[in-house]
Amino acid sequence: MKVIISIMMAVTVFTSANSATPVYLDSGAPVEQRVEDALSRMTLSEKVSMLHAQSKFSSAGVPRLGIPEIWTTDGPHGIRPEVLWDEWDQAGWTNDSCTAFPALTCLAATWNPELSLLYGKSIGEEARYRGKDMLLGPGVNIYRTPLNGRNFEYMGEDPYLASRMVVPYIRGVQSNGVAACVKHYALNNHEVNRHTTNVTVDDRTLYEIYLPAFRAAVQEGGAWAIMGSYNLYRNEHCCHNSRLLNDILKGEWGFDGVVVSDWGGTHDTDQAIANGLDMEFGSWTNGLSAGTSNAYDNYYLARPYLERLADGRADTTELNDKVRRILRLAFRTNMNPGRPFGSLCTPGHVSAARTIAGEGIVLLKNDHGVLPLDLTSPRRVAVIGENAVKMMTVGGGSSSLKARYELSPLDGIRNALEGRATVEYARGYVGDSTGEYNGVTTGQNLNDDRSADELIAEAVGLARNADYVIFIGGLNKSEHQDCEDSDRSGLELPYDQDRVITELAEANPNLIVVNISGNAVAMPWAGKVPAVLQAWYLGTEAGNAIADVITGRVNPSGRLPMSFPASLGQVPAHSLGTYPGTKRTDGTDIVDCNYAEGIFVGYRWLDREKQQPLFPFGHGLSYTTFKYGRATVDSRTVTTDGTLTVTVPVTNTGTREGQEVVQLYISDLKSSHPRPVKELKGFRKIRLKPGETAEVSFTVDRRALSYFDPDRHGWVCEPGRFEALVGASSRDIRSKVSFEVRD
């Protein structure tokens, strides 16, 4: 009723006050003209009311002028179920289920920008159908430590890979008239002490590692919204950080969208006014904690801002800029009559989820060709592990979902092997038997009172009599695993799974380990297990996607978007002792975290230190084989402002059709500044039939050859010798070619 009354009031005002349509209501007029016209008609209080929340997930419009509210929703893997207006409790709707798409680590592991576009378009359609104007995602924070509880929501350790994957996602979402709100800007790389961690990082590292994906989101993806992060940088909270928001985001990058605070990420009215925040959500002010009816009026950008405008402590310069941005958002979304209607839980969305999940699964190891399963004669298959049955769409924090359905790995395998194999199941271990987050329950009863010895004995007995054993374990979305607001306690698998796997390996040589997680895990048993799959959190179609790869219906083509270290000693944040930081002794809660490793994150550190990871960045196997020919360049010399083309032939030398991810790394052989041994600067995913050859070409430009010079505050391409390295992972270089860069 509230919305209907607002629209009727708007119509009455316009028809009585003006015979002509106001410019801001003319969808054919230039957006900036509409913005200025609407701004000129608004009162001071109407402007301020647009800057802060009016409910858990919405901000006010201007009913008098017919400007709608802005409705946001959590993502980025599916559309969050509805909560009550002013509470976190479930609203109790029966039509707010969604398609659960794979987590973004899985999307990044596809190394397929076309699938990223499909992902964004599909989830954008669901957001649009549910009446949302802004999707709170995707996340592109860099994988600095495998203990970060929120890594599963991000796109890995490499800024180039994250940049290439985030752009099509944004374009897909926004093609539905729904804003993508890219998060968490910036330097939000672990969850422990996330509200009080103050990051110290040099400018070169900031620009080379932690900002490129955000810059690409803005300048190439055209993102309409950016969410600030909880942590501090240079002793200012990132949701109102002048350097990050005013100088870099809006200044250097020309961002014309809105900056949204993370929920509860705003801490000061004056800083929020001056330092670039546009929309404030979730603040826990005195009004809200007291439960007063005007709680939202007490937000930092609410009554306190009006008081400053009234007594002269603030003028309207910043206010008008903020409102312009919000109006621009409205004209792009809910005041755009041409945006599509959207759709929910369609067969197309389910198909997209299954395809993305299948392409993101990484075959880490496959000794003796154990996979795909040989089903030429009837087989007995033993499936072991809690993660074979535990729902993973519920939990993990704000990305928790109320999925229309979630097919378990066990059911997916049973369906795929029906009539070809007998499938038996044993629990193997008990991890987390709960299944509830924020009022959404899985409905599963996973309680089991048996001892660990009893569970293992049952699993081993089943394994001894099976042709194949498939252990499905890993992490889950409980606290201190893959979960918001907490980090993992260690790299090892929880619930004594290492013991279970070791005993299964002794009982049956045909053991396949499927690790479900959003993070790297230690694998002390890796040498005893012939096949290992990294399966991520796969969403609605998890069971089908895993079964597709195990049976060979899908030839695996995923590649790791992060390194799997052999131990935490191979992770500089831990080996240098800078994680999670040091608490100050000045009586405050601030924890200082120094990114002492600089630009040497992930494979860059492993290369420099000459350390062998458990599995390298970019690694992934196939059920076929690929041969790389000799890489060539179209010129042995290139100027610092020119481009060159690197070409390599790739042939499918196996017996199956498959996809290969051809990766290009660049090495600066002589630089005046420390540089990584090599850096990813290009990749192509190609599909080849047996015997087919494709010529894969990459264009190398100035940016691919440059480093960020903080003294010049710009990107510098130095003359000298470089190498282009082409391969199947950061440690599997198949061909290289050198070239010279001249002024």
Side-chain angles (χ1 to χ4, degrees), residues 145-183:
T145 166
L147 302 191
N148 181 11
R150 218 163 178 183
N151 276 336
F152 72 97
E153 293 188 49
Y154 303 141
M155 295 187 178
E157 73 183 31
D158 185 78
Y160 181 84
L161 175 62
S163 297
R164 294 309 91 213
M165 295 301 289
V166 72
V167 168
Y169 181 111
I170 293 167
R171 290 175 177 170
V173 170
Q174 295 185 169
S175 68
N176 292 281
V178 174
C181 184
V182 184
K183 60 185 188 181

Side-chain angles (χ1 to χ4, degrees), residues 565-630:
S567 69
L568 284 180
Q570 292 186 339
V571 180
H574 298 273
S575 63
L576 298 178
T578 62
Y579 166 89
T582 304
K583 188 173 181 179
R584 292 181 182 175
T585 58
D586 59 1
T588 68
D589 293 327
I590 301 300
V591 176
D592 287 306
C593 185
N594 179 20
Y595 286 20
E597 70 278 6
I599 61 173
F600 297 99
V601 176
Y603 69 88
R604 291 166 168 81
W605 176 267
L606 293 166
D607 284 351
R608 192 185 81 163
E609 299 300 306
K610 297 181 173 59
Q611 296 175 340
Q612 183 62 40
L614 179 63
F615 296 106
F617 172 80
H619 171 71
L621 304 176
S622 172
Y623 295 152
T624 189
T625 54
F626 297 94
K627 180 181 179 181
Y628 288 59
R630 186 172 64 88

